[in-house]
């Protein structure tokens, strides 16, 4: 399955008008949940900005100060990543630059039989527009930012979803939706 998992403001933005998303820093409880989610993945598709943001988990030893953070760094570092970028010439760690289209890379990773997560607003928007996303996993933060990078792109047809799980992590609400097909 292809999973789109991301934090969003109450008004549906993943970053504010200045591109900041510091309001989405997770609590330890939520961070532990993220660790368990990432452990289950077979690969992650990243846009350039997300790749560069997450690279610190592979390169910055100060992020290993707690057992929880060290465990996440280990899991993230081991996870295969495919990076979509028009500007990067190389990537580090267990990552490679995408060689095919979004659809081609997703199809190749689907053959592994493990769930794949996609991240980055523009990259996820392409997969949504191609109707390739099977689950939407939204972490809704109690803030209204009034504009910025939208959670979802404009769509030309309805995307029917079933709410299959909700949880709370303090003030953050986790919403998990499955794509209804057919």
């Amino acid at each position: 399955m292809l999973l789109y998992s991301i934090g969003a403001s109450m008004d549906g933005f993943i970053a504010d008008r200045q591109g900041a998303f510091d309001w989405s820093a997770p609590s330890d409880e939520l961070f532990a949940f993220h660790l368990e989610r990432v452990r289950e993945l077979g690969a992650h598709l990243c846009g350039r900005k997300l790749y560069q943001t997450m690279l610190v988990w592979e390169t910055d030893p100060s992020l290993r100060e707690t057992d929880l953070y060290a465990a996440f760094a280990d899991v993230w570092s081991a996870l295969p990543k495919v990076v979509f970028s028009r500007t990067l010439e190389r990537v580090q760690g267990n990552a490679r630059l995408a060689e095919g289209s979004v659809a081609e890379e997703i199809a190749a990773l689907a053959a592994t039989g493990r769930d794949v997560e996609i991240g980055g607003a523009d990259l996820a928007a392409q997969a949504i527009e191609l109707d390739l996303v099977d689950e939407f996993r939204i972490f809704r933060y109690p803030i209204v930012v009034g504009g910025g990078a939208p959670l979802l792109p404009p769509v030309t047809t309805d995307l029917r979803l079933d709410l299959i799980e909700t949880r709370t992590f303090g003030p953050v609400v986790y919403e998990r939706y499955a794509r209804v097909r057919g």
Side-chain angles (χ1 to χ4, degrees), residues 132-171:
L132 299 174
V133 177
D134 299 299
E135 282 192 11
F136 295 81
R137 298 178 176 189
I138 312 304
F139 296 85
R140 188 89 52 191
Y141 286 81
I143 186 169
V144 174
V145 298
L151 168 66
L152 298 169
V155 295
T156 55
T157 60
D158 293 348
L159 297 178
R160 300 196 51 82
L161 306 172
D162 274 341
L163 178 63
I164 57 175
E165 182 182 4
T166 61
R167 291 178 66 172
T168 58
F169 299 91

Side-chain angles (χ1 to χ4, degrees), residues 34-182:
H34 285 305
L35 171 60
E36 292 309 311
R37 276 186 335 90
V38 173
R39 272 192 175 128
E40 298 171 359
L41 297 174
H44 199 287
L45 299 169
C46 306
R48 179 193 51 82
K49 290 179 191 174
L50 179 62
Y51 164 74
Q52 290 175 323
T53 298
M54 295 298 291
L55 186 58
V56 296
W57 288 103
E58 299 184 52
T59 60
D60 186 348
S62 72
L63 292 178
R64 295 178 163 274
E65 292 177 351
T66 69
D67 289 343
L68 181 62
Y69 284 18
F72 184 84
D74 289 344
V75 169
W76 183 257
S77 295
L79 182 67
K81 291 166 277 298
V82 179
V83 181
F84 288 80
S85 173
R86 290 182 290 277
T87 58
L88 293 177
E89 293 182 12
R90 64 180 182 81
V91 292
Q92 296 175 247
N94 197 9
R96 67 173 176 81
L97 288 169
E99 297 170 0
S101 68
V102 172
E104 291 167 338
E105 293 288 354
I106 291 169
L109 292 171
T112 67
R114 298 200 53 206
D115 289 344
V116 175
E117 191 169 272
I118 191 165
D122 294 337
L123 183 60
Q126 290 177 51
I128 292 167
E129 289 166 0
L130 294 168
D131 198 20
L132 299 174
V133 177
D134 299 299
E135 282 192 11
F136 295 81
R137 298 178 176 189
I138 312 304
F139 296 85
R140 188 89 52 191
Y141 286 81
I143 186 169
V144 174
V145 298
L151 168 66
L152 298 169
V155 295
T156 55
T157 60
D158 293 348
L159 297 178
R160 300 196 51 82
L161 306 172
D162 274 341
L163 178 63
I164 57 175
E165 182 182 4
T166 61
R167 291 178 66 172
T168 58
F169 299 91
V172 178
V173 177
Y174 170 60
E175 307 164 9
R176 182 175 163 210
Y177 299 90
R179 180 76 171 92
V180 176
R181 304 213 183 262

